[in-house]
Amino acid sequence: MNKLVNITIDGKQYEVKPGKNLVDAAKENGLFIPTLCHFREVNPPLGTCRICTVSVDGKTTSGCTTKVYEGMNVEINSPELLNTRKAIIEMLFAEGNHFCPSCEKSGNCDMQNLGYEMGITVSRFPHVYSKNLVDFTSNRMAMETNRCILCKRCVEDVKTYDGKDVFSFVKRGVKTRVQIDHEEEAKLTDTEAKHAMDICPVGAILVKGTTHYQPFGHRKYDNGGKTKHINTSKKLKHNGDNGIFTVATTSLAGCFGCHMSLLDIDLSILDMLDIVEFNKSPINDIKKFTKRCDIGLIEGGCANSENIEVLKEFRKKCDILIAFGECSIMGGIPAMRNFVPLEECLEEAYIHGLTSEIGTNTIPNHEDIPKILDRVYPCNEIVKIDHYIPGCPPDAQHIWKVVKNVLLNEDYSITHEEFKYD
Ligand code: SF4
Ligand code: SF4
C-alpha cells in the first residue's frame, strides 16, 4: 500500500492518499473546495471552470488539476481566494444569460447554488447578454448555449452505446460553443438523456417535458444552505428626524410586482409606520422629492431615458440606494429583449405584433416620449447601488427586514430560503 502524504491545508495537517488531486483529497477530509466542472473523480480532471482556485506553496492554481505531494502547503479559504472564486462565478453570471426566475434549472442548478453559498447578489462585471441561437431542433433535447459555462462535462461523459460523442465543442477562443449531434443524441435512452441534463451544472441541456417536474421545496437545493450574514457596510449617519426615517421608492422597467410585495407585509406595516414615512413613491403618489431621503428603493432596470433620469435623481436624493428584485439587479424579464436588435423589437411590438393592423401602425416617436435605450441596463451599471434584495419578487418580510436593519444600523442575517433569485 502506498504511504500517505502529509499536507497542510489552511494551517492544519492532513494525511492524504498519494495521487489524489486537491479537490478530492480535501473532500475526503471534510473540506469543501467548490467546483463546477469536476465530478465523480474524472481522470484527468477537466480543469475548465477554475472555481477551485487555491494557493499551493504561495502560487495560485486550480485544485482539481493539482496532485498532492509530501509537504505541500495549501490555502483554500483566504479572503483573496474567496474573492477570486466569487469573481469567477460573477463573470460566468455576467457572460451568459442567467435569468434564474424563468430558468428550467432553477433550484437544481449548481452554479445558482454556488451563487447563494457565496452570497452573490449581483455581478460586479457588466452583463454581456449573449445572442447565441437556442437549439430546439431535436425532438427530445433543447440546448440553451447562452447558459453554457463550457465546463466540458457533457462532452466527456455523454456517449452513445457504441462510444460516439453526443456533445462537442465547436469554434475556438471566445467563440467556443457546445453543440449536439442530433443523430447520436437520438441513440440515447431517455434515462441517458436525462442524465445529460442532470450532469450539466447549469440549465444549458434540457430534456423537453421533464423540466419543472419538481415542485418548489423539493428541488435539489431548496433545503440546503446556511444562513448568510451580510454586513451592512454602508450605514446611515443619523437616527432619523424624531426617530422617523424617510423612504422613497420607484418602479423603473419592472412589472410593479416588487412594490406589490412591499405592500404585502400585513401587520408589520404598523411596525414600519412607527419608524418610516414615505416621500416620493407610487405608494402615496407623491411625484417629486420634498426632502432628502434616508433610503431609496428601486424596482426595475433602465429601459428608457426617463428611467435613467429617475435613477440618477434617486442616487442624488437618497443616502442609501437599495435595488430590490431581479429586474433592478440584472435587468430581469425586460432585459430579455437585449438579445434582439432594438429595431426588430420595436417592429415586432408596433408593426407586426398580433394586435397590430398591418399597414396602419407606426413606431411611436415624439419628443415627449422617453427614448428607448439600446438595451435594458441593471441599475448598478448606471449608478452606485449600496444593497441588493434578490427575488422575483423578493418576499415582503424580507424587504422589510433589510430596510429595518439598514435604518437601525444593524448587521443583518438572512436565511438561505430568503436569499434567493429563483
Ligand atoms: S438557474 Fe442556473 S442556469 Fe438557470 S439562469 Fe440561474 S444560474 Fe443560469
Ligand atoms: S452544456 Fe452544460 S455540461 Fe455541457 S459544457 Fe455547457 S455547461 Fe458544461
Side-chain angles (χ1 to χ4, degrees):
M1 191 179 132
N2 288 336
K3 224 176 120 211
L4 295 176
V5 294
N6 298 294
I7 65 171
T8 307
I9 303 181
D10 286 342
K12 272 182 85 178
Q13 302 282 327
Y14 296 90
E15 284 188 332
V16 298
K17 289 183 200 141
K20 288 261 162 194
N21 69 61
L22 266 172
V23 171
D24 294 336
K27 193 173 168 193
E28 281 184 7
N29 284 283
L31 301 171
F32 176 58
I33 304 178
T35 161
L36 286 176
C37 68
H38 188 56
F39 71 123
R40 285 207 314 275
E41 305 192 6
V42 171
N43 225 345
L46 303 173
T48 48
C49 75
R50 317 311 272 187
I51 290 159
C52 62
T53 295
V54 293
S55 166
V56 175
D57 296 332
K59 286 200 184 122
T60 306
T61 182
S62 55
C64 73
T65 54
T66 307
K67 290 202 170 157
V68 294
Y69 54 81
E70 182 65 30
M72 181 182 227
N73 189 7
V74 188
E75 264 188 291
I76 58 176
N77 283 322
S78 68
E80 292 78 17
L81 288 166
L82 293 175
N83 189 42
T84 303
R85 261 180 231 140
K86 210 169 163 184
I88 296 171
I89 304 265
E90 287 173 23
M91 278 188 238
L92 292 174
F93 270 109
E95 195 181 41
N97 295 340
H98 296 284
F99 293 85
C100 296
S102 60
C103 178
E104 299 83 348
K105 190 86 171 196
S106 195
N108 289 312
C109 174
D110 298 339
M111 183 160 103
Q112 182 192 53
N113 186 54
L114 266 190
Y116 293 153
E117 287 297 309
M118 292 184 183
I120 295 172
T121 43
V122 72
S123 173
R124 71 193 94 165
F125 306 98
H127 288 269
V128 173
Y129 299 111
S130 63
K131 297 184 178 71
N132 297 313
L133 278 182
V134 183
D135 184 354
F136 284 109
T137 44
S138 150
N139 282 336
R140 183 171 42 188
M141 273 188 186
M143 186 82 208
E144 182 19 322
T145 41
N146 296 296
R147 295 180 192 146
C148 171
I149 58 164
L150 299 173
C151 71
K152 225 176 175 194
R153 280 183 177 188
C154 58
V155 177
E156 290 298 315
D157 201 56
V158 183
K159 309 279 172 195
T160 60
Y161 60 86
D162 50 354
K164 300 265 176 52
D165 291 339
V166 175
F167 299 92
S168 57
F169 278 180
V170 291
K171 302 197 177 161
R172 302 181 66 175
V174 288
K175 293 193 172 151
T176 309
R177 301 279 168 263
V178 72
Q179 111 181 338
I180 309 185
D181 181 323
H182 295 296
E183 229 170 85
E184 300 304 332
E185 185 272 321
K187 292 183 191 166
L188 298 178
T189 63
D190 285 347
T191 310
E192 287 165 339
K194 172 82 175 26
H195 167 75
M197 178 169 86
D198 290 341
I199 58 155
C200 178
V202 288
I205 299 173
L206 302 166
V207 175
K208 297 172 187 173
T210 63
T211 54
H212 297 306
Y213 60 101
Q214 289 162 305
F216 280 86
H218 294 266
R219 301 168 307 169
K220 188 171 169 188
Y221 294 115
D222 276 343
N223 301 314
K226 306 164 235 156
T227 296
K228 304 269 167 260
H229 293 277
I230 309 283
N231 193 338
T232 53
S233 50
K234 174 99 192 242
K235 294 180 191 273
L236 287 175
K237 295 194 184 79
H238 62 93
N239 297 319
D241 295 337
N242 304 319
I244 302 287
F245 297 92
T246 317
V247 174
T249 78
T250 190
S251 179
L252 306 176
C255 69
F256 214 72
C258 296
H259 270 78
M260 297 308 288
S261 188
L262 177 68
L263 292 173
D264 205 21
I265 60 171
D266 301 326
L267 286 179
S268 301
I269 201 150
L270 299 175
D271 296 344
M272 186 198 267
L273 293 176
D274 276 348
I275 61 166
V276 164
E277 66 171 23
F278 285 96
N279 199 259
K280 178 180 160 83
S281 170
I283 291 173
N284 52 14
D285 210 22
I286 294 180
K287 304 258 189 300
K288 292 192 172 153
F289 281 100
T290 57
K291 61 186 320 206
R292 187 164 183 81
C293 294
D294 298 298
I295 286 186
L297 280 169
I298 312 288
E299 169 186 341
C302 292
N304 62 39
S305 53
E306 187 189 28
N307 296 153
I308 302 248
E309 266 173 45
V310 173
L311 181 58
K312 286 187 173 166
E313 191 191 18
F314 263 71
R315 182 64 281 181
K316 259 193 222 150
K317 302 265 172 65
C318 302
D319 289 347
I320 289 184
L321 219 47
I322 302 178
F324 75 129
E326 282 311 304
C327 299
S328 61
I329 296 174
M330 47 76 74
I333 302 295
M336 285 183 159
R337 79 149 157 100
N338 292 358
F339 322 129
V340 183
L342 180 58
E343 213 180 314
E344 250 178 67
C345 282
L346 291 171
E347 281 175 4
E348 187 59 32
Y350 293 105
I351 311 281
H352 310 305
L354 279 181
T355 53
S356 307
E357 209 175 309
I358 295 172
T360 58
N361 283 7
T362 51
I363 295 170
N365 183 16
H366 188 275
E367 57 184 5
D368 291 344
I369 302 176
K371 293 281 165 292
I372 198 148
L373 302 177
D374 59 333
R375 65 179 178 88
V376 177
Y377 291 81
C379 293
N380 72 326
E381 291 187 20
I382 307 293
V383 298
K384 182 175 182 311
I385 298 291
D386 302 305
H387 298 290
Y388 301 89
I389 309 178
C392 183
D395 179 81
Q397 295 299 338
H398 184 195
I399 301 171
W400 171 225
K401 187 173 165 183
V402 173
V403 169
K404 193 170 99 189
N405 291 156
V406 172
L407 287 174
L408 302 180
N409 278 344
E410 297 166 346
D411 282 350
Y412 61 91
S413 58
I414 52 179
T415 64
H416 189 85
E417 282 66 36
E418 288 170 328
F419 184 75
K420 290 255 174 184
Y421 27 91
D422 60 337

